Amino acid sequence: MIAALPLTPQMKLTLRLSLLILSFGLFAPILYAQEYTISGEVRDEANGESMIGVIVIDLATNKGTVTNTYGYYSLTLPQGKHQIEYRSIGYEVFSQEFANLNSNARINIELQPGTRDMRVIDVIGDKKENVNSTDMGRIEIPIDQIKKIPVIFGEVDVLKTITLLPGVRSSGEGNAGFYVRGGGADQNLVLLDNTPVYNASHLFGFFSVFNADAVKNIEITKGGVPAQYGGRLSSVLDINLKEGNSKSVHGAGGIGSISSRFTVEGPIKKDTSSFIISGRRTYVDILLKAAAKNNPNLNLDGTGYYFYDLNTKFNYRLSEHDQIFVSAYLGRDVFNFSSAQGGFSTKIPWGNATATLRYKRSAREKLFWNAILHFTDYKFQFEGQQESFTFGLKSGIRDYGGKIQWSYFPNELHRIKFGTDYTFHTFTPNNTYATSGDVNFDLGPQMKLYSHDVAAYFTDEFDINEKWRIHAGLRIPLFIHVGPFTRYTYLSSTSAVGSATTTTATEYGKGEKVSQYVGLEPRINARYEIDNSSSFKFGLTRNLQFIHLTSLSPSSLPTDVWLPSTDRLKPQIASQASAGYFRNFLNDKWESSVEVYYKNMRNQSEYKEGSSPDQTVGDNIDNLLVFGRGYSYGAEFFLKRRTGKLTGWIGYTWAKTMRVFETINEGRAFPTRWDRRHDANLVLTYQLNDRVDFGFVFVYATGNAITLPVARYFFEGNIVDIYGERNSFRMAPYHRADFSVNVKGKATRTKYDALTNTEIIEKKKFISSWNFSVYNFYNRMNPYFIYFGAEQVNGGFQITARQVSLFPILPSVTWNFEF
């Protein structure tokens, strides 16, 4: 089966515009002559880490650029005299003069940390990056700022921080997913060092799997996703790990209320090779077992929960042009429960493993490329035992893949990227097993699904003139579902004696093609500069997604199952239009933006009403699904203070997210469970002095949409529920406030030098700090779920709704250290 996915009229227009603009970009280098390129890498002098977003500007022409994710830059200038400056806030300015630039030059530099430079330097023609770029819905959060934001139990959390941004939503406490502009939890591409992570949370969503001590930078893109990213409809969360200090050995860690962490990094060969190793583990299980020893009434044998993370990364510089990186991540959650009285026990382990091998090369002055091999494995297992009977379930997804990414800088006006991706998926959906003593029950064959996922892309960002900048791209994906595979088909027939259902099974051999899809994903963003401090932007994008997350639960949990697109389960398709006004003011201390969007989603899937997990045994899971469409639209308001002692942001989102399925809710549109009309966040940090800072967070959101009974009656001694429309009831609004204080020890000490009769100030080798946090400090009892209870009143029964809440006020203390 080969299917070409159709384009809407709007997407056909976007495709034509993209192709026209890209063809112009291909011939642009011909128009420039007598120009030379200055290129190289920028690193931090203190630790040797590559630096992202460093401004490289020529004072003679006021032309410039910024370093990419890997610290690389390329700046093409006309022949003549030039003075190049390298600038980054918090670092000394480095200057390089060329008396007569008449050949290409490679300049690798290291910036020295120094007095915090509060100036915001413009890159091209005195414009600001927030206003100047074509980026829409793209936000980068410094890891240092994330560490100042108060969080539950004092655990620094990347995922919880991004849900404080407009357009990004959490579905509440105890939910493992995040939701962007109406998309589901599966529609976000989460990358750790270029490798997908399929379950990014511990403890059912209370903590993220990313250890902040090992993270270098975090970037989320909500709209106008560039063509180099694909495979998801809604957003990209791109996280890169630190490379490791190549100058000297350093360490950091912390001891908190429920977990501890430790990180060590240093050179293997100074300025050539380095490493970083970072680990984290909770110890609630250890504390509970210790408490049980002193309490004979508390029997916790075989019961406990813990999670752990381990990050590693190594790199080796082969030459000034070549470098190799190897990184890996391993994380596990393990929950065990045992009841000696009931003879029942259960084990529930789940987690991720990833590995990345990357080769980086700056081949020529204008050409930079990466070759990447990646592996990811997500597994979930449930096993329950009652005396001699054992029942188990396994699911997961495993990927092997590779990427080649090229960046080409023909001149100062064009930034071209192109490349290819390949991934081989192995899906393990809900394989079950059962035994009783020596007897193994036949629950059907263990099912695995296989697919090839291939894509090629080309993108160009360039200036038409001083007012207009365009970023256009095209991505062409190909997805092939292959055997071994068995397709079960059900045919209903009616005769004089009644109706009957006939089951047929079609077998596909190993590697045999079951279905194939190919499509086009045009992407275009444009910026029009209104004046030096403001601009208008718009974007049109089309995204395809070939993998699906199916869930029988009202919230995202590790039990959810990943599936590929099949001959029955079509690829998801989203078309998004967005527009925004961006403005900086008060000498760029403040950034602001207003963005509006409309997103249309096709081939959305849900389980049929009344479906249960046991129906997946001996059947294709996609036979239990129904299909529909969705749409979402909204407005996002963002105000951010960038510099000064008081920094932070205010975000507000008004949005509506709906789904339409013919066989659900009688074909009427219904809100998704993560639909929220209002979502507001206030995030503030205040630096009192070099040793003390404060953090404050306030969150408000419309309550989750749920389905509840509207009536009940007795029938043959049983209570029968009559449910209202799908997700027609709203829980109470969610809101809370958090507060934190960070107190650092003295970073320096004074020594007396008897020879010179002077005092010498030197940096301490060991520095510690304390974090005091209060989560939900006004003790708001936010709803987690609602259930109904029956109680006898005046000789009859009364049904009452009862709310379950998770977290009251939670204070925490964490001791952090570094050396």
Side-chain angles (χ1 to χ4, degrees):
M1 176 182 176
I2 302 177
L5 301 173
L7 292 170
T8 64
Q10 293 84 357
M11 288 301 104
K12 289 180 180 179
L13 175 61
T14 306
L15 177 61
R16 293 190 185 103
L17 288 173
S18 300
L19 292 175
L20 177 62
I21 292 168
L22 290 174
S23 63
F24 177 80
L26 287 173
F27 296 101
I30 301 174
L31 305 177
Y32 295 85
Q34 297 300 313
E35 292 185 328
Y36 301 98
T37 299
I38 302 170
S39 62
E41 296 181 33
V42 181
R43 295 183 167 271
D44 189 325
E45 185 185 59
N47 54 33
E49 290 268 357
S50 59
M51 295 183 62
I52 304 168
V54 175
I55 296 170
V56 184
I57 187 169
D58 173 36
L59 300 183
T61 62
N62 208 28
K63 295 178 180 179
T65 186
V66 295
T67 56
N68 66 8
T69 305
Y70 310 109
Y72 181 80
Y73 73 94
S74 178
L75 180 61
T76 299
L77 298 170
Q79 181 178 347
K81 183 178 180 180
H82 298 279
Q83 184 175 349
I84 312 300
E85 287 194 351
Y86 301 79
R87 300 178 174 182
S88 182
I89 292 178
Y91 291 82
E92 299 289 345
V93 175
F94 181 89
S95 182
Q96 177 75 42
E97 185 172 340
F98 292 86
N100 181 23
L101 181 66
N102 55 13
S103 63
N104 295 328
R106 182 176 180 89
I107 308 294
N108 297 327
I109 68 153
E110 292 186 340
L111 289 186
Q112 179 181 356
T115 304
R116 186 173 180 85
D117 187 353
M118 304 307 292
R119 294 173 297 164
V120 180
I121 300 95
D122 178 17
V123 179
I124 299 175
D126 206 26
K127 309 180 189 82
K128 314 306 182 277
E129 189 65 17
N130 175 55
V131 173
N132 180 58
S133 74
T134 59
D135 295 333
M136 295 190 64
R138 175 186 169 273
I139 300 176
E140 184 173 345
I141 309 175
I143 193 67
D144 290 339
Q145 186 173 21
I146 291 177
K147 291 181 177 181
K148 295 179 181 180
I149 296 174
V151 288
I152 188 170
F153 297 125
E155 289 291 317
V156 177
D157 197 309
V158 171
L159 292 188
K160 287 294 186 292
T161 302
I162 67 169
T163 61
L164 300 175
L165 300 171
V168 184
R169 306 176 184 188
S170 166
S171 212
E173 294 161 343
N175 191 326
F178 65 96
Y179 307 88
V180 178
R181 290 187 173 180
D186 64 320
Q187 295 174 357
N188 305 304
L189 178 61
V190 180
L191 296 173
L192 180 65
D193 266 2
N194 290 284
T195 300
V197 177
Y198 285 98
N199 187 303
S201 295
H202 288 301
L203 191 56
F204 304 102
F206 296 123
F207 307 104
S208 77
V209 301
F210 306 112
N211 186 349
D213 288 342
V215 172
K216 180 179 180 179
N217 70 293
I218 299 159
E219 180 182 288
I220 184 168
T221 306
K222 304 175 293 180
V225 176
Q228 63 262 34
Y229 299 108
R232 302 295 189 276
L233 299 188
S234 292
S235 74
V236 177
L237 177 61
D238 198 352
I239 300 174
N240 289 295
L241 297 176
K242 294 178 179 178
E243 298 170 3
N245 194 311
S246 63
K247 304 291 185 178
S248 58
V249 176
H250 288 269
I255 300 174
S257 304
I258 66 167
S259 72
S260 292
R261 65 190 193 281
F262 181 74
T263 301
V264 62
E265 58 181 318
I268 300 173
K269 182 180 180 181
K270 190 174 181 179
D271 293 327
T272 302
S273 179
S274 63
F275 74 93
I276 182 170
I277 301 175
S278 182
R280 176 177 59 163
R281 191 194 191 278
T282 58
Y283 36 70
V284 175
D285 57 324
I286 299 173
L287 297 177
L288 288 176
K289 288 179 180 179
K293 289 182 180 181
N294 301 321
N295 187 350
N297 297 320
L298 185 62
N299 184 3
L300 295 177
D301 290 340
T303 299
Y305 168 81
Y306 65 91
F307 71 75
Y308 63 86
D309 296 306
L310 179 64
N311 292 96
T312 62
K313 190 169 185 177
F314 303 88
N315 76 87
Y316 187 85
R317 183 174 293 276
L318 302 172
S319 69
E320 70 170 355
H321 296 280
D322 306 86
Q323 194 169 7
I324 293 177
F325 300 84
V326 179
S327 61
Y329 166 80
L330 176 65
R332 286 289 182 270
D333 289 68
V334 180
F335 174 75
N336 297 318
F337 174 78
S338 179
S339 173
Q341 294 179 345
F344 174 77
S345 65
T346 184
K347 299 178 181 179
I348 310 178
W350 72 93
N352 302 277
T354 71
T356 308
L357 172 63
R358 179 166 66 90
Y359 173 64
K360 180 183 76 172
R361 177 171 174 77
S362 49
R364 298 172 60 186
E365 293 79 9
K366 300 182 179 183
L367 191 63
F368 172 90
W369 61 272
N370 279 298
I372 300 168
L373 296 176
H374 62 84
F375 165 82
T376 186
D377 186 30
Y378 170 68
K379 293 179 180 178
F380 171 83
Q381 182 177 357
F382 169 88
E383 183 175 284
Q385 185 172 356
Q386 180 78 41
E387 296 179 346
S388 63
F389 178 76
T390 301
F391 174 79
L393 179 148
K394 295 180 180 179
S395 65
I397 179 172
R398 175 178 291 180
D399 290 351
Y400 297 92
K403 306 176 184 179
I404 298 180
Q405 304 168 333
W406 299 80
S407 296
Y408 178 50
F409 307 91
N411 50 68
E412 77 276 6
L413 298 181
H414 284 264
R415 294 155 292 277
I416 295 173
K417 295 181 180 181
F418 55 96
T420 58
D421 299 345
Y422 170 76
T423 302
F424 180 73
H425 301 286
T426 301
F427 300 84
T428 306
N430 274 359
N431 283 334
T432 56
Y433 59 92
T435 63
S436 181
D438 296 331
V439 179
N440 292 321
F441 295 95
D442 184 6
L443 300 180
Q446 299 294 298
M447 183 180 297
K448 288 190 176 183
L449 305 175
Y450 306 92
S451 61
H452 301 278
D453 198 341
V454 189
Y457 66 87
F458 184 94
T459 181
D460 184 15
E461 183 178 27
F462 68 96
D463 296 334
I464 296 177
N465 52 42
E466 290 187 356
K467 294 289 186 180
W468 283 99
R469 172 175 288 186
I470 305 294
H471 189 174
L474 179 64
R475 185 179 182 89
I476 305 176
L478 170 66
F479 188 87
I480 307 173
H481 174 210
V482 296
F485 176 70
T486 303
R487 164 59 67 195
Y488 296 98
T489 307
Y490 301 93
L491 301 174
S492 299
S493 59
T494 304
S495 64
V497 295
S499 60
T501 300
T502 304
T503 303
T504 61
T506 304
E507 299 288 343
Y508 294 87
K510 182 178 180 180
E512 185 178 355
K513 183 165 60 180
V514 180
S515 60
Q516 176 175 300
Y517 298 95
V518 63
L520 296 175
E521 299 181 51
R523 320 273 178 88
I524 180 170
N525 288 342
R527 177 229 70 201
Y528 175 77
E529 180 194 321
I530 299 172
D531 55 37
N532 189 43
S533 298
S534 62
S535 65
F536 172 78
K537 305 177 187 181
F538 70 88
L540 294 171
T541 60
R542 185 178 195 254
N543 297 72
L544 304 180
Q545 181 169 331
F546 299 98
I547 64 175
H548 313 255
L549 188 66
T550 61
S551 176
L552 283 167
S553 168
S555 60
S556 180
L557 295 173
T559 53
D560 299 345
V561 175
W562 288 94
L563 293 174
S565 293
T566 65
D567 54 339
R568 189 171 189 275
L569 183 57
K570 308 299 182 185
Q572 302 179 67
I573 305 174
S575 301
Q576 181 175 217
S578 57
Y581 174 73
F582 296 76
R583 182 173 180 82
N584 288 7
F585 50 95
L586 294 180
N587 294 323
D588 301 307
K589 290 182 179 180
W590 293 84
E591 292 180 359
S592 66
S593 64
V594 178
E595 294 185 58
V596 295
Y597 69 90
Y598 180 87
K599 181 191 292 184
N600 180 58
M601 293 164 280
R602 290 182 283 164
N603 299 337
Q604 303 299 286
S605 60
E606 296 270 359
Y607 275 99
K608 297 176 182 178
E609 293 183 334
S611 297
S612 59
D614 61 285
Q615 292 176 296
T616 63
V617 178
D619 197 358
N620 305 123
I621 293 181
D622 57 10
N623 284 333
L624 303 178
L625 303 178
V626 293
F627 310 103
R629 62 182 179 88
Y631 59 90
S632 178
Y633 54 88
E636 300 168 0
F637 303 84
F638 190 57
L639 177 65
K640 178 182 178 182
R641 181 177 170 89
R642 302 178 62 253
T643 61
K645 287 191 172 184
L646 180 67
T647 58
W649 66 83
I650 301 174
Y652 170 75
T653 304
W654 184 98
K656 188 172 185 179
T657 302
M658 305 293 286
R659 295 290 188 268
V660 182
F661 289 75
E662 289 185 6
T663 59
I664 297 178
N665 204 45
E666 298 181 350
R668 295 189 296 270
F670 60 89
T672 64
R673 60 179 178 267
W674 57 87
D675 170 63
R676 290 182 177 175
R677 201 67 67 245
H678 306 283
D679 197 284
N681 301 283
L682 172 63
V683 179
L684 298 173
T685 60
Y686 181 75
Q687 191 76 40
L688 181 65
N689 52 48
D690 290 340
R691 296 180 56 194
V692 180
D693 63 75
F694 300 91
F696 175 81
V697 169
F698 176 75
V699 177
Y700 175 88
T702 302
N704 286 351
I706 59 175
T707 306
L708 292 179
V710 295
R712 283 184 163 184
Y713 64 90
F714 280 96
F715 180 74
E716 296 182 353
N718 297 315
I719 298 177
V720 179
D721 293 324
I722 300 177
Y723 285 89
E725 291 194 12
R726 184 79 164 245
N727 293 341
S728 58
F729 182 83
R730 289 282 178 180
M731 288 186 178
Y734 179 98
H735 57 87
R736 71 168 204 277
D738 310 328
F739 179 76
S740 69
V741 181
N742 290 299
V743 181
K744 300 179 182 178
K746 289 185 177 180
T748 61
R749 61 183 175 186
T750 303
K751 294 178 63 176
Y752 178 75
D753 189 338
L755 294 177
T756 60
N757 196 28
T758 58
E759 291 184 342
I760 300 174
I761 298 176
E762 64 178 16
K763 186 177 180 180
K764 287 184 177 180
K765 293 183 178 180
F766 185 91
I767 304 172
S768 66
S769 64
W770 290 91
N771 171 271
F772 304 92
S773 296
V774 181
Y775 180 88
N776 190 15
F777 72 74
Y778 60 79
N779 201 31
R780 162 72 175 178
M781 302 307 291
N782 287 300
Y784 179 52
F785 66 84
I786 294 174
Y787 74 97
F788 290 86
E791 56 185 19
Q792 191 170 2
V793 178
N794 297 327
F797 283 93
Q798 180 177 339
I799 308 297
T800 58
R802 297 172 182 172
Q803 174 182 298
V804 174
S805 301
L806 285 181
F807 294 127
I809 181 172
L810 287 174
S812 63
V813 178
T814 303
W815 179 65
N816 300 302
F817 61 88
E818 58 182 87
F819 60 88

